[in-house]
Amino acid sequence: GERANIVRRDDNLQPEGDFAKRPDAKWAPGERANVIKRDDNLHPEGEFTKRPDGTWAPGERANIVRRDDNLQPEGDFAKRPDAKWAPGERANVIKRDDNLHPEGEFTKRPDGTWAPGERANVVRRDDNLQPEGEFAKRPDATWAPGERANVIKRDDNLHPEGEFQKRPDGTWA
C-alpha cells in the first residue's frame, strides 16, 4: 500500500497584545555585604613582658664528685699466670673383653660361583583351531582416483541493459 500524504491543519491560537521578551543581561558578580570587624574587648591587665631574645647555651651541670674508695686488697695480689695453649689431655681408650662365645662349630656360607636358577622347559601345545572351508583373501588393488560427477554449467539469465563501460586501464603511479 501507498502512504497517505501528511495534512497540516492551520493553528487557531494567536498571542494577544505585545509579546514581552526577557531582557538580555550580562553576567556580573553577586553583591557581597561588607566585612565588619568588631573591636576586641579583651585587654591584658598590668605590664606585658616578652621573652628575652637570647642565643642558645647548654644548661648548667653540677660538677662530678669522685668519692674515695675504702676497699683495699689485703696481702699480695696474685695474678693469673700466662699460659700457652695446649691440647686437652685425653683418657686412654679401654677395650673390654667380649664375654659372648658361640657354642659348637661355626659353619660359614660355602664359597660358590653364580649360576642361573633352574627353569622348566617351555611346552608349546598344538593348536586345535582350524579354519573351515576356503579362506577369502582381500584382492590386491592398485590406487586409482575416485570417480567424479561431471560439472554442469547453467546458462546465465542476467544480462546488462545498455552499454557497458569498462574501467580505464591505467598504469600504477
Side-chain angles (χ1 to χ4, degrees):
E2 291 182 21
R3 225 171 141 163
N5 292 335
I6 296 172
V7 178
R8 288 231 171 229
R9 308 274 180 215
D10 289 336
D11 192 6
N12 60 355
L13 298 175
Q14 303 295 332
E16 294 177 3
D18 289 335
F19 188 70
K21 216 167 135 194
R22 183 187 303 176
D24 288 336
K26 266 197 160 178
W27 180 87
E31 296 173 12
R32 257 182 99 166
N34 293 335
V35 178
I36 300 171
K37 278 243 179 190
R38 306 280 181 206
D39 288 336
D40 194 8
N41 60 352
L42 298 175
H43 301 288
E45 295 177 5
E47 210 172 297
F48 186 72
T49 55
K50 263 171 119 184
R51 186 189 314 182
D53 288 335
T55 57
W56 179 87
E60 296 174 12
R61 213 167 148 180
N63 293 334
I64 297 171
V65 178
R66 284 234 175 224
R67 307 280 180 211
D68 288 335
D69 193 5
N70 58 358
L71 298 174
Q72 303 296 333
E74 294 176 4
D76 289 335
F77 187 70
K79 224 169 153 193
R80 183 188 302 174
D82 289 336
K84 273 199 164 179
W85 179 87
E89 296 172 9
R90 245 180 112 166
N92 293 333
V93 178
I94 301 172
K95 276 249 184 185
R96 306 281 181 205
D97 289 336
D98 193 7
N99 60 352
L100 299 174
H101 302 289
E103 294 178 3
E105 256 183 59
F106 188 72
T107 56
K108 269 169 120 185
R109 184 188 311 177
D111 289 334
T113 58
W114 179 85
E118 295 175 10
R119 217 172 143 175
N121 293 334
V122 177
V123 178
R124 295 282 262 179
R125 307 280 178 208
D126 289 334
D127 193 6
N128 60 356
L129 298 175
Q130 303 295 334
E132 295 176 3
E134 280 186 32
F135 188 70
K137 233 168 118 187
R138 183 189 302 178
D140 289 336
T142 57
W143 180 85
E147 297 174 10
R148 258 182 100 165
N150 294 334
V151 178
I152 300 172
K153 276 240 174 191
R154 308 279 182 207
D155 290 335
D156 193 8
N157 60 353
L158 299 175
H159 302 287
E161 295 176 4
E163 215 174 289
F164 186 70
Q165 293 180 348
K166 251 171 74 180
R167 186 185 318 176
D169 284 339
T171 58
W172 275 84

